[in-house]
């Protein structure tokens, strides 16, 4: 579960100091049978995410980003509590044509993990008419908390040693966005990413043989990849919307096992239809080719719908989703078969 509160300053240009802050509480529980304890484990995270800025003179600002997280564990003495702090001072220059940000991200850890790491936070954007050119270099900490491990491989055991954060040492990219026709947008981009201490799901055989049963484990490694992609978007008034995207990655890893379940080519297309205010239908198809030919590509044909009950309350809505309409059999993550046709529905509340 997650609970978040936020506070921000007014948009008054005469105000000397501007701020935007959010505090959050997250709880994640799981049953773990691999670590030294067989008790239920829990992870509580207390977070603070803030941004403070002030204007030096026309077109120039200085910013300070602060992210503070306290991770508290119960259920096993092998899991150490941890405090992480990210500081990101930067200088911004903005005109009608240019937006430039020069910053440096410093990541500190106390109690567990590498104590200090740093990554760039630099961006330059040039706008002329309906065309945008940009280049950026970023990075930073990716916490390997219970939530990220669960997303990586839902049924994996925790690493035998507590997982330190994956660190994106560098993600440098450049691209172009343009609108050659009314309602039509194109985005072309490419880049290079380097990850340290990356957490990857791999296959291991628990009985020492070559067949099943299998279980999932996790392994730390260092990898980097070159990537390039494109996205096309078209919208007709508020009635129709079409989106197409493609992303290709060329991974460099030490061993075949580590690259097997990394996505190589990701394709997705969606069609939105909004016949009434607050009512939307979406049909989409997602196709992912893995880096290893040993495993089948992943695909998902899906339908989604949502309706905002504004006549009752502006923050009240209902939604419905249907996934894997082709009822295909494959593994989304190592050793985890897809669930086949699955339906999801619910109510959403926004305060």
């Amino acid at each position: 579960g997650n609970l978040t509160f936020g506070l921000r300053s007014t948009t008054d240009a005469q105000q000397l100091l501007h701020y935007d802050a959010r505090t959050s509480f997250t709880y994640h529980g799981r049953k773990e049978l691999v670590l030294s304890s067989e008790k239920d484990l829990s992870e509580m995270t207390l977070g603070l995410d803030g941004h403070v800025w002030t204007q030096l003179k026309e077109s120039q600002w200085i910013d300070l980003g602060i992210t503070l997280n306290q991770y508290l564990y119960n259920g096993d003495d092998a899991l150490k509590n941890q405090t992480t702090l990210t500081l990101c001072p930067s200088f911004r220059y903005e005109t009608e044509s240019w937006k430039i940000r020069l910053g440096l991200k410093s990541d500190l850890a106390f109690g567990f993990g590498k104590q200090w790491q740093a990554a760039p936070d630099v961006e330059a954007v040039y706008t002329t008419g309906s065309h945008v050119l940009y280049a950026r270099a970023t990075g930073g900490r990716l916490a390997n908390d219970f939530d990220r491990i669960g997303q990586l491989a839902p049924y994996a055991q925790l690493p035998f040693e507590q997982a330190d954060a994956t660190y994106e040492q560098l993600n440098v990219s450049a691209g172009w966005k343009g609108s050659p026709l009314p309602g039509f947008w194109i985005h072309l981009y490419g880049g290079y990413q380097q990850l340290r201490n990356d957490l990857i799901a791999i296959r291991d055989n628990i009985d020492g043989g070559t067949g099943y049963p299998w279980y999932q484990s996790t392994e730390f490694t260092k990898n980097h990849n070159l990537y390039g992609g494109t996205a096309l978007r078209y919208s007709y008034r508020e009635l129709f919307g079409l989106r197409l995207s493609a992303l290709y990655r060329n991974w460099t890893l030490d061993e075949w096992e580590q690259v097997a379940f990394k996505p190589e080519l990701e394709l997705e297309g969606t069609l939105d239809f909004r016949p009434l205010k607050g009512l939307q239908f979406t049909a989409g198809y997602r196709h992912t080719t893995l880096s290893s030919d040993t495993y089948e590509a992943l695909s998902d044909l899906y339908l989604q719908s949502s309706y905002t009950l504004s006549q009752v309350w502006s923050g009240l809505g209902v939604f419905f989703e249907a996934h894997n309409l082709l009822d295909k059999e494959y593994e989304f993550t190592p050793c985890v078969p897809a669930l086949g046709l699955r339906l999801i529905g619910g109510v959403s509340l926004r305060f």
Side-chain angles (χ1 to χ4, degrees):
N2 177 270
L3 182 64
T4 302
F5 296 96
L7 180 67
R8 66 177 58 181
S9 60
T10 65
T11 57
D12 184 2
Q14 302 301 318
Q15 188 170 327
L16 177 62
L17 197 65
H18 300 266
Y19 59 87
D20 185 358
R22 293 171 299 280
T23 183
S24 63
F25 169 78
T26 303
Y27 177 86
H28 194 132
R30 61 180 291 152
K31 183 178 255 336
E32 186 62 51
L33 302 176
V34 173
L35 294 176
S36 58
S37 170
E38 295 188 356
K39 300 177 181 178
D40 292 338
L41 303 181
S42 67
E43 176 188 72
M44 291 184 292
T45 306
L46 304 175
L48 174 64
D49 188 10
H51 177 213
V52 182
W53 67 99
T54 188
Q55 187 170 7
L56 297 177
K57 55 184 180 180
E58 186 178 2
S59 304
Q60 297 181 20
W61 290 262
I62 54 172
D63 301 52
L64 177 62
I66 303 173
T67 302
L68 178 66
N69 286 305
Q70 174 71 52
Y71 299 93
L72 303 173
Y73 296 94
N74 276 318
D76 196 295
D77 294 337
L79 295 173
K80 299 178 181 178
N81 296 337
Q82 182 188 40
T83 302
T84 63
L85 174 64
T86 299
L87 300 173
C88 186
S90 63
F91 168 80
R92 281 191 294 128
Y93 173 78
E94 296 184 3
T95 65
E96 291 185 0
S97 300
W98 283 97
K99 291 184 179 181
I100 298 174
R101 185 180 72 251
L102 303 175
L104 178 65
K105 187 175 294 184
S106 296
D107 291 291
L108 299 93
F110 309 93
F112 172 75
K114 193 166 184 179
Q115 294 182 349
W116 181 79
Q117 299 178 91
D121 184 32
V122 177
E123 182 180 49
V125 180
Y126 176 69
T127 303
T128 173
S130 60
H131 301 276
V132 178
L133 294 171
Y134 68 88
R136 62 173 64 103
T138 61
R141 176 190 288 112
L142 301 173
N144 286 317
D145 52 16
F146 285 6
D147 183 63
R148 185 165 190 260
I149 292 174
Q151 293 180 20
L152 171 73
Y155 300 104
Q157 291 97 355
L158 292 177
F160 288 99
E161 296 182 357
Q162 186 173 355
D164 195 4
T166 294
Y167 202 78
E168 187 179 55
Q169 187 60 61
L170 180 64
N171 190 339
V172 57
S173 63
W176 166 80
K177 300 177 184 179
S179 178
L181 297 171
F184 184 69
W185 280 88
I186 304 176
H187 183 195
L188 299 173
Y189 62 94
Y192 169 81
Q193 182 188 43
Q194 184 182 50
L195 297 168
R196 291 206 317 257
N197 206 35
D198 195 14
L199 193 62
I200 298 174
I202 63 173
R203 284 177 178 252
D204 279 324
N205 194 296
I206 62 175
D207 60 8
T210 58
Y212 286 87
W214 298 84
Y215 75 102
Q216 290 180 288
S217 63
T218 48
E219 182 172 309
F220 290 99
T221 187
K222 180 179 180 179
N223 71 55
H224 51 93
N225 68 88
L226 290 169
Y227 61 88
T230 184
L232 308 177
R233 177 168 54 89
Y234 175 75
S235 60
Y236 176 72
R237 298 180 179 178
E238 295 294 325
L239 189 60
F240 290 102
L242 174 67
R243 298 188 302 274
L244 301 173
S245 65
L247 173 61
Y248 175 80
R249 292 181 183 271
N250 183 12
W251 293 92
T252 301
L253 293 164
D254 296 333
E255 299 179 9
W256 171 84
E257 273 187 332
Q258 297 172 355
V259 75
F261 274 89
K262 285 289 190 180
E264 183 178 63
L265 178 62
E266 299 175 73
L267 304 173
E268 185 167 10
T270 62
L271 177 64
D272 298 327
F273 176 52
R274 295 174 286 271
L276 300 173
K277 182 178 180 181
L279 177 63
Q280 176 169 313
F281 298 97
T282 299
Y285 181 74
R286 184 184 301 113
H287 181 89
T288 303
T289 301
L290 302 177
S291 298
S292 170
D293 296 333
T294 305
Y295 305 110
E296 293 185 17
L298 314 179
S299 61
D300 182 19
L301 179 63
Y302 60 89
L303 294 173
Q304 298 174 335
S305 64
S306 63
Y307 182 56
T308 302
L309 301 172
S310 56
Q311 67 274 21
V312 179
W313 180 37
S314 59
L316 177 63
V318 293
F319 65 90
F320 173 79
E321 299 180 8
H323 288 271
N324 198 7
L325 296 178
L326 300 179
D327 200 25
K328 294 192 63 175
E329 295 183 0
Y330 50 84
E331 298 176 1
F332 271 117
T333 54
C335 313
V336 183
L339 296 177
L341 176 63
R342 58 193 186 278
L343 308 177
I344 304 171
V347 177
S348 62
L349 298 174
R350 180 176 298 176
F351 300 93

